[in-house]
Amino acid sequence: MAAPETPEDLPGDSPELVEQRIDAVVAVLPPLLQALDALTHVGRHLHPARLRDLVAGLKSVESELAAALEDFRGISWPPQSAALVQPIEAAAEQVGQSFAGLAAADHPEGLMQAYRALRFAPRAAEALYPLAGHLGPVSMFFLDQAGRADEELRQRLAAAGDSPGGPDLGVMHADNAKHQRGGFSLYVPEYYDPQTAYPVIVALHGGAGHGRAFLWTWLKQARSRGAILISPTARGGTWSLMQPEVDAANIAAILDHVGSRWNLDRGRILLTGMSDGGTFAYLAGLMAGASCSHLAPISASFQPMLLEFLDRRRLAEVPIYLTHGAEDWMFPIDMARTANAALTAAGAQVEYREIADLSHAYPSEENDRIVEWFLGRETAA
């Protein structure tokens, strides 16, 4: 993508109009990014008993964004500004869809509608991400806390700009449109150096989810820590839990394909997943011949009888970071406690994290702990 025009670069306009355009961009980004953070907060804390309060908490964020968008849309934007204006407009449209869906879900039986409404949030992130190479606030948004504090990393990202090394850096998708199954989405750091072997995060979506959306769950950590991120989509409606070799073979093929183009550190591969994706991570990561070095199942189901089908050597060799919520209404916490005890008794190295206020939702704040467990406190390679 060509670099977006900056408002001050447009010819033939008065200084006042140029200044208005700059001010409009500066004004709209904070509430837009705050809205994305607010949707992440809702997804993290989603629970039937809390839904009404969570929706009510969005009203002020929504109002601030609406006011900024009104000013932004009131500016005269020439065609040359499309690469700047369109991502902001597209992200705002997806955020608005999410807000509207959540407002309609504001009742005790609206949990499933709330989950559907939150699917617009990663679409907003995808729409906005192309501006990360050009606008500092957007770039900062797509970093974790360690990345935001890393001045050298921020300078390298600013220097990288819009993937000057070619079109094969940043976010990419392979046969992974929303209607497609079995493909994958990929992030390769914009500062990629082919002489460096990069650790890999393979992130598996939950049941009825999609890899294109789940990529954004882990992008901040991958971009901050210098990791290649792969987010596959299950071949069927969810992961092949009854025939794990089906999706396991596809993931292995994806790893080989990505490894043929980019330099992967085959000794550092994290396999993580949410819900059905976490359950499948157990099955695929602990089967004989699997290539991952670490496992991090989140809010997943695991029955001790599965130990009969797993490779005992892999159990002893592969560290496991097990995260579960005490308020999980789909897979009750006792399931995780039993899994922890059974895996530990079988010789696995388990880091067990029980989160008191987590229901069947993704604990985004846990990513930093998981990646530090996986890589140590390393920043970008």
Side-chain angles (χ1 to χ4, degrees):
M1 184 186 88
E5 293 277 358
T6 58
E8 55 195 331
D9 287 336
L10 303 175
D13 291 324
S14 68
E16 292 79 10
L17 182 55
V18 170
E19 190 68 25
Q20 287 177 3
R21 289 171 180 153
I22 294 172
D23 290 346
V25 173
V26 170
V28 79
L29 286 178
L32 180 55
L33 298 175
Q34 184 184 9
L36 283 169
D37 277 336
L39 292 173
T40 298
H41 176 83
V42 171
R44 159 62 178 84
H45 295 280
L46 198 59
H47 187 282
R50 293 193 286 266
L51 180 57
R52 188 177 298 275
D53 288 341
L54 289 168
V55 172
L58 293 175
K59 291 180 180 178
S60 62
V61 177
E62 186 175 9
S63 296
E64 290 179 18
L65 177 58
L69 282 170
E70 184 177 2
D71 292 342
F72 183 80
R73 290 165 177 163
I75 298 293
S76 172
W77 295 102
Q80 301 97 304
S81 292
L84 172 66
V85 174
Q86 288 179 0
I88 293 174
E89 286 283 10
E93 169 65 22
Q94 298 301 319
V95 167
Q97 293 269 26
S98 194
F99 281 160
L102 286 166
D106 182 15
H107 53 82
E109 292 78 34
L111 188 65
M112 292 301 107
Q113 186 170 334
Y115 278 118
R116 288 192 291 272
L118 288 170
R119 292 180 182 176
F120 292 100
R123 299 176 194 175
E126 180 176 338
L128 195 60
Y129 187 76
L131 297 181
H134 312 287
L135 299 178
V138 179
S139 182
M140 288 285 281
F141 178 81
F142 288 106
L143 293 172
D144 65 13
Q145 290 300 320
R148 293 174 187 178
D150 189 337
E151 177 64 25
E152 181 182 357
L153 170 63
R154 289 189 281 115
Q155 289 178 358
R156 292 171 66 195
L157 284 166
D162 191 26
S163 303
D168 51 359
L169 302 178
V171 174
M172 295 157 276
H173 309 282
D175 298 323
N176 210 32
K178 288 183 290 185
H179 67 280
Q180 293 177 303
R181 310 297 300 183
F184 66 97
S185 293
L186 172 71
Y187 168 76
V188 178
E190 291 88 343
Y191 45 84
Y192 172 81
D193 177 357
Q195 302 305 312
T196 299
Y198 286 76
V200 183
I201 299 170
V202 180
L204 308 182
H205 62 78
H210 198 280
R212 189 175 185 124
F214 201 65
L215 179 86
W216 300 97
T217 305
W218 274 96
L219 188 129
K220 292 182 180 181
Q221 284 72 32
R223 190 168 181 253
S224 300
R225 312 301 178 109
I228 288 176
L229 172 61
I230 303 171
S231 187
T233 299
R235 295 175 67 88
T238 189
W239 300 99
S240 54
L241 301 175
M242 303 306 294
Q243 294 179 294
E245 64 277 3
V246 174
D247 275 314
N250 191 43
I251 292 171
I254 290 170
L255 272 168
D256 287 343
H257 174 75
V258 173
S260 70
R261 172 60 188 85
W262 293 277
N263 190 356
L264 308 185
D265 183 345
R266 292 284 187 166
R268 293 191 297 173
I269 299 178
L270 169 65
L271 181 61
T272 183
M274 164 70 186
S275 191
D276 277 7
T279 301
F280 189 76
Y282 279 125
L283 298 175
L286 297 175
M287 66 191 317
S291 58
C292 67
S293 62
H294 294 69
L295 282 181
I298 297 169
S299 301
S301 168
F302 182 86
Q303 298 293 341
M305 64 180 181
L306 290 174
L307 290 169
E308 300 178 19
F309 305 99
L310 302 179
D311 185 89
R312 291 286 171 159
R313 186 172 61 180
R314 293 283 297 165
L315 270 171
E317 292 176 349
V318 179
I320 300 172
Y321 193 110
L322 196 169
T323 303
H324 212 93
E327 296 184 346
D328 196 316
W329 51 268
M330 182 173 290
F331 300 140
I333 189 61
D334 283 346
M335 183 175 291
R337 293 168 181 167
T338 300
N340 177 37
L343 289 163
T344 301
Q349 310 164 51
V350 182
E351 180 83 14
Y352 179 66
R353 284 278 295 165
E354 185 172 309
I355 302 177
D357 68 342
L358 181 68
S359 67
H360 195 70
Y362 194 89
S364 53
E365 77 280 4
E366 202 65 22
N367 281 12
D368 287 346
R369 297 187 181 96
I370 293 172
V371 80
E372 287 173 3
W373 165 82
F374 171 46
L375 297 176
R377 295 183 179 271
E378 300 178 15
T379 53

